[in-house]
Amino acid sequence: MLFHVRMDVHLPHDLDPNIRADIVAREKEYSQRLQREGKWPHLWRIVGEYSNISIFDVDSTDELHALLSGLPLFPYMTIKVTPLATHPSKIAGVG
């Protein structure tokens, strides 16, 4: 199952810099592991925002929820999930 996920990060301005650095480092490690596993095949930054657009390829909505809630930045995020379906006009093997 494919999902389009927008994640907007809202870290508190007064968050201790050491805690911030630790959370961001753990986030990077976790997200790169999911990318290597094929669960997070696409990740794009949104220019000018602390946000990203991602495509997740998972077996279920429950798996997606578990992966997203496991993100170290999860407590500081607003997340919007859109399920995706194959378009009938899509050419096989393209995109």
Side-chain angles (χ1 to χ4, degrees), residues 50-83:
Y50 195 175
S51 304
N52 73 71
I53 296 290
S54 298
I55 301 295
F56 282 82
D57 188 356
V58 294
D59 294 329
S60 68
T61 54
D62 290 331
E63 181 183 13
L64 179 63
H65 181 76
L67 295 178
L68 293 175
S69 63
L71 290 164
L73 285 170
F74 181 78
Y76 307 102
M77 289 183 176
T78 301
I79 299 174
K80 181 178 179 189
V81 176
T82 305

Side-chain angles (χ1 to χ4, degrees), residues 12-69:
H13 296 291
D14 59 349
L15 185 63
D16 180 283
N18 294 320
I19 293 172
R20 182 187 196 284
D22 176 65
I23 293 170
V24 170
R26 289 186 295 116
E27 180 84 6
K28 182 175 183 177
E29 180 181 319
Y30 181 75
S31 68
Q32 288 181 346
R33 179 173 58 84
L34 294 177
Q35 290 172 67
R36 284 186 204 95
E37 293 173 358
K39 299 292 182 181
W40 195 336
H42 298 283
L43 171 60
W44 295 278
R45 173 179 291 161
I46 298 174
V47 175
E49 299 181 32
Y50 195 175
S51 304
N52 73 71
I53 296 290
S54 298
I55 301 295
F56 282 82
D57 188 356
V58 294
D59 294 329
S60 68
T61 54
D62 290 331
E63 181 183 13
L64 179 63
H65 181 76
L67 295 178
L68 293 175
S69 63

